[in-house]
Amino acid sequence: MTAVADQAEPATQPVLDSVREFLGGEKKLFIDGKWASAQSGRTFTTEDPATGAVLAHVAHGAAADVDQAVRAARRAFDEGPWPHMKPNQRERLLWRIGDMLNERAEEFGQLEALDNGKSVGIATAVDVAWAADVFRYYAGWATKIEGSTINVSMPFAPGGQFHAYTLREPVGVCGLIVPWNFPLLMAAWKLAPALAAGNTVILKPAEQTPLSALLLAEVFEEAGMPPGVVNIVPGFGDAGAALSGHDGVDKVAFTGSTEVGKKIVDAAKGNLKKVSLELGGKSPNIVFADADFETAVPGSLNAWLFNHGQACTAGTRMYVEDAIFDEFTGAVAEAASQVKIGPGMDPATQLGPLVSQEQFDKVTGYLREGMADGARALTGGNRWGETGYFVEPTVLVDVRPEFSVVRDEIFGPVVTAMPFDAERGVAAAANDSMYGLAAGIWTRDISKAHRTAKQIKAGSVWVNQYNGFDTAMPFGGYKQSGWGRELGASGLDLYTTTKSVNIAL
Ligand code: NAP
Ligand code: MG
């Protein structure tokens, strides 16, 4: 087993005064344009996963607070200015949010690094910068949401003349429930298209990472968002359940585990609210023998290690053509052993801690189970350090398709590697999963790349790269990885509904 980089005293970035100030005092709920404690008076703490230290006390929203937020959003939708505002007014406001995110990128980046444990550099350059981009992208769409005119034949009214058209309207009050792995970014993916289309929203951030959503509420307030349009209610699963079951909510958009996704579907049945789901994954990353090692090794490493493996798209099943299996997996393991582990606030950190004790226990539990099943670690396999929720980057070989480490979403820095025979193909093995979120393909043969991309049952396929996202490209899952497509023009479809109007002239 190769040793991982030594644990050294980290040189962490100093916390900005503005971030310190934000963290002081109770962080409240943001409902109807006002800051309020939870009706129960309760608070919960959110901690820094690198140290376990308490960062802030947060108002603990529950069903009663969700109800109040839904009523505020309903009033803002039915009576407020937002849905009746001119599209270019909504455009300017959303564009301003994007600008303000960029202006305060350092602050948002630090808060995200502290609350989630991810590297401050990545939080700023990826999470915050992309969130700003998403607001600008959908700001542009606000003025481009169109219906169509339809040249109807009306066979049962042959003598008449008609004027028929469609209107694309906002769905109404939307409940947005997001996880802790990309707290600000997942909120932006939902908020921006929902607001561009003229909906009003209630956002429920994850209990582990409520802080960036509350700073975002300050940004909305400062930008002049009318009261009730954006409501933010931090809390636990029961708050999410109250939101997805509320009859005053017209649509719920969820990102998180497949298990909770199914609960959302059940809860939504009452009023048959619209549902979109971005769920888990166990994505295949396929490396053919003719792949360019220079790009395929670091690319395949990043595929499973990005965000400490806490990414729904993580390429955690590596299928490597047998001719290069030992050489390739050895190179990936060697690169993994060189990764710099540390707290997110150390700018040199490449791999931070997992988000919580719960996730740490889950990931290390899978490692124990995998080893007991007969897996062998080319590198890693253990906890890293004495404090914080750090796990060594781990490459597992000698695995079989039925092992839990191959089947389940581990959500940590763990990859399984399996050889494949080019004659028999790789698609069947790659598709042998209840998930279908993403896939990677590495080859210099362009025809093979296209053929394989077509065979893979996944919402996103990346060739000679991994996590090749763009705000304009639809993203979502096949099979149990979800319903609907976020981002791009498809993202707007989730937050609009079509009305057909037919006029007898
Ligand atoms: P989760 O339980 O699915 O949580 C996602 C969001 O749903 C959180 O805001 C959560 O609130 C809320 N929630 C929990 N129970 C709910 C319910 N019954 N009704 C409505 N909302 C509810 O995910 P997690 O607990 O954070 O992580 C568990 C596993 O999910 C991970 O190990 C990972 O495998 C997977 N996961 C996947 C993604 C992804 O992007 N695909 C993201 C995160 C996690 P609380 O925070 O209070 O629980
Ligand atoms: Mg949970």
PDB file of all heavy atoms in Angstrom, residues 180 204 206-208 236-237 257 260 358-359, ligand 2:
ATOM      1  N   TRP A 180     -25.986  19.092   0.968  1.00  0.00           N
ATOM      2  CA  TRP A 180     -24.846  19.790   1.564  1.00  0.00           C
ATOM      3  C   TRP A 180     -23.589  19.747   0.704  1.00  0.00           C
ATOM      4  O   TRP A 180     -22.589  20.358   1.045  1.00  0.00           O
ATOM      5  CB  TRP A 180     -24.525  19.162   2.928  1.00  0.00           C
ATOM      6  CG  TRP A 180     -24.554  17.650   2.896  1.00  0.00           C
ATOM      7  CD1 TRP A 180     -25.581  16.853   3.322  1.00  0.00           C
ATOM      8  CD2 TRP A 180     -23.555  16.754   2.385  1.00  0.00           C
ATOM      9  NE1 TRP A 180     -25.288  15.523   3.108  1.00  0.00           N
ATOM     10  CE2 TRP A 180     -24.051  15.434   2.537  1.00  0.00           C
ATOM     11  CE3 TRP A 180     -22.287  16.944   1.826  1.00  0.00           C
ATOM     12  CZ2 TRP A 180     -23.323  14.310   2.142  1.00  0.00           C
ATOM     13  CZ3 TRP A 180     -21.570  15.819   1.425  1.00  0.00           C
ATOM     14  CH2 TRP A 180     -22.080  14.528   1.588  1.00  0.00           C
ATOM     15  N   LYS A 204     -35.079  25.191   1.240  1.00  0.00           N
ATOM     16  CA  LYS A 204     -34.680  24.492   2.469  1.00  0.00           C
ATOM     17  C   LYS A 204     -33.268  23.957   2.258  1.00  0.00           C
ATOM     18  O   LYS A 204     -33.062  22.959   1.575  1.00  0.00           O
ATOM     19  CB  LYS A 204     -35.652  23.333   2.729  1.00  0.00           C
ATOM     20  CG  LYS A 204     -35.837  22.941   4.184  1.00  0.00           C
ATOM     21  CD  LYS A 204     -34.682  22.300   4.903  1.00  0.00           C
ATOM     22  CE  LYS A 204     -34.341  20.872   4.580  1.00  0.00           C
ATOM     23  NZ  LYS A 204     -33.066  20.473   5.241  1.00  0.00           N
ATOM     24  N   ALA A 206     -29.591  22.191   3.414  1.00  0.00           N
ATOM     25  CA  ALA A 206     -29.299  21.002   4.233  1.00  0.00           C
ATOM     26  C   ALA A 206     -28.897  21.422   5.640  1.00  0.00           C
ATOM     27  O   ALA A 206     -28.288  22.467   5.836  1.00  0.00           O
ATOM     28  CB  ALA A 206     -28.181  20.196   3.577  1.00  0.00           C
ATOM     29  N   GLU A 207     -29.217  20.568   6.598  1.00  0.00           N
ATOM     30  CA  GLU A 207     -28.915  20.900   8.002  1.00  0.00           C
ATOM     31  C   GLU A 207     -27.413  21.081   8.231  1.00  0.00           C
ATOM     32  O   GLU A 207     -26.994  21.838   9.094  1.00  0.00           O
ATOM     33  CB  GLU A 207     -29.447  19.769   8.910  1.00  0.00           C
ATOM     34  CG  GLU A 207     -28.706  18.457   8.712  1.00  0.00           C
ATOM     35  CD  GLU A 207     -29.386  17.245   9.341  1.00  0.00           C
ATOM     36  OE1 GLU A 207     -30.542  16.984   9.008  1.00  0.00           O
ATOM     37  OE2 GLU A 207     -28.743  16.582  10.162  1.00  0.00           O
ATOM     38  N   GLN A 208     -26.581  20.355   7.452  1.00  0.00           N
ATOM     39  CA  GLN A 208     -25.125  20.429   7.642  1.00  0.00           C
ATOM     40  C   GLN A 208     -24.554  21.752   7.129  1.00  0.00           C
ATOM     41  O   GLN A 208     -23.488  22.173   7.566  1.00  0.00           O
ATOM     42  CB  GLN A 208     -24.434  19.280   6.904  1.00  0.00           C
ATOM     43  CG  GLN A 208     -24.767  17.893   7.402  1.00  0.00           C
ATOM     44  CD  GLN A 208     -26.013  17.318   6.734  1.00  0.00           C
ATOM     45  OE1 GLN A 208     -26.752  18.032   6.058  1.00  0.00           O
ATOM     46  NE2 GLN A 208     -26.261  16.043   6.939  1.00  0.00           N
ATOM     47  N   PHE A 236     -34.303  20.607   9.339  1.00  0.00           N
ATOM     48  CA  PHE A 236     -33.932  19.215   9.122  1.00  0.00           C
ATOM     49  C   PHE A 236     -34.883  18.564   8.116  1.00  0.00           C
ATOM     50  O   PHE A 236     -35.683  19.244   7.467  1.00  0.00           O
ATOM     51  CB  PHE A 236     -33.921  18.490  10.470  1.00  0.00           C
ATOM     52  CG  PHE A 236     -32.740  18.869  11.324  1.00  0.00           C
ATOM     53  CD1 PHE A 236     -32.605  20.164  11.818  1.00  0.00           C
ATOM     54  CD2 PHE A 236     -31.744  17.951  11.604  1.00  0.00           C
ATOM     55  CE1 PHE A 236     -31.505  20.526  12.590  1.00  0.00           C
ATOM     56  CE2 PHE A 236     -30.646  18.303  12.376  1.00  0.00           C
ATOM     57  CZ  PHE A 236     -30.526  19.582  12.873  1.00  0.00           C
ATOM     58  N   GLY A 237     -34.807  17.246   8.057  1.00  0.00           N
ATOM     59  CA  GLY A 237     -35.634  16.511   7.100  1.00  0.00           C
ATOM     60  C   GLY A 237     -37.123  16.774   7.269  1.00  0.00           C
ATOM     61  O   GLY A 237     -37.875  16.790   6.290  1.00  0.00           O
ATOM     62  N   SER A 257     -30.436  12.342  -1.950  1.00  0.00           N
ATOM     63  CA  SER A 257     -30.347  10.887  -2.090  1.00  0.00           C
ATOM     64  C   SER A 257     -31.584  10.317  -2.786  1.00  0.00           C
ATOM     65  O   SER A 257     -32.672  10.889  -2.710  1.00  0.00           O
ATOM     66  CB  SER A 257     -30.197  10.249  -0.709  1.00  0.00           C
ATOM     67  OG  SER A 257     -31.308  10.568   0.096  1.00  0.00           O
ATOM     68  N   VAL A 260     -34.424   9.612  -0.186  1.00  0.00           N
ATOM     69  CA  VAL A 260     -35.293  10.746   0.168  1.00  0.00           C
ATOM     70  C   VAL A 260     -36.108  11.187  -1.049  1.00  0.00           C
ATOM     71  O   VAL A 260     -37.268  11.581  -0.914  1.00  0.00           O
ATOM     72  CB  VAL A 260     -34.478  11.911   0.787  1.00  0.00           C
ATOM     73  CG1 VAL A 260     -35.355  13.136   0.995  1.00  0.00           C
ATOM     74  CG2 VAL A 260     -33.870  11.484   2.119  1.00  0.00           C
ATOM     75  N   GLU A 358     -21.626  11.432  10.433  1.00  0.00           N
ATOM     76  CA  GLU A 358     -22.505  10.446   9.795  1.00  0.00           C
ATOM     77  C   GLU A 358     -21.890   9.952   8.475  1.00  0.00           C
ATOM     78  O   GLU A 358     -21.845   8.755   8.195  1.00  0.00           O
ATOM     79  CB  GLU A 358     -23.861  11.114   9.551  1.00  0.00           C
ATOM     80  CG  GLU A 358     -24.952  10.184   9.115  1.00  0.00           C
ATOM     81  CD  GLU A 358     -26.255  10.938   8.794  1.00  0.00           C
ATOM     82  OE1 GLU A 358     -26.402  12.120   9.187  1.00  0.00           O
ATOM     83  OE2 GLU A 358     -27.113  10.343   8.120  1.00  0.00           O
ATOM     84  N   GLN A 359     -21.421  10.898   7.658  1.00  0.00           N
ATOM     85  CA  GLN A 359     -20.836  10.517   6.365  1.00  0.00           C
ATOM     86  C   GLN A 359     -19.516   9.777   6.571  1.00  0.00           C
ATOM     87  O   GLN A 359     -19.201   8.835   5.850  1.00  0.00           O
ATOM     88  CB  GLN A 359     -20.637  11.752   5.479  1.00  0.00           C
ATOM     89  CG  GLN A 359     -21.928  12.321   4.932  1.00  0.00           C
ATOM     90  CD  GLN A 359     -22.722  11.290   4.126  1.00  0.00           C
ATOM     91  OE1 GLN A 359     -23.818  10.893   4.523  1.00  0.00           O
ATOM     92  NE2 GLN A 359     -22.174  10.832   3.018  1.00  0.00           N
TER      93      GLN A 359
HETATM   94 MG    MG B   2     -30.130  13.789   5.751  1.00  0.00          MG
END
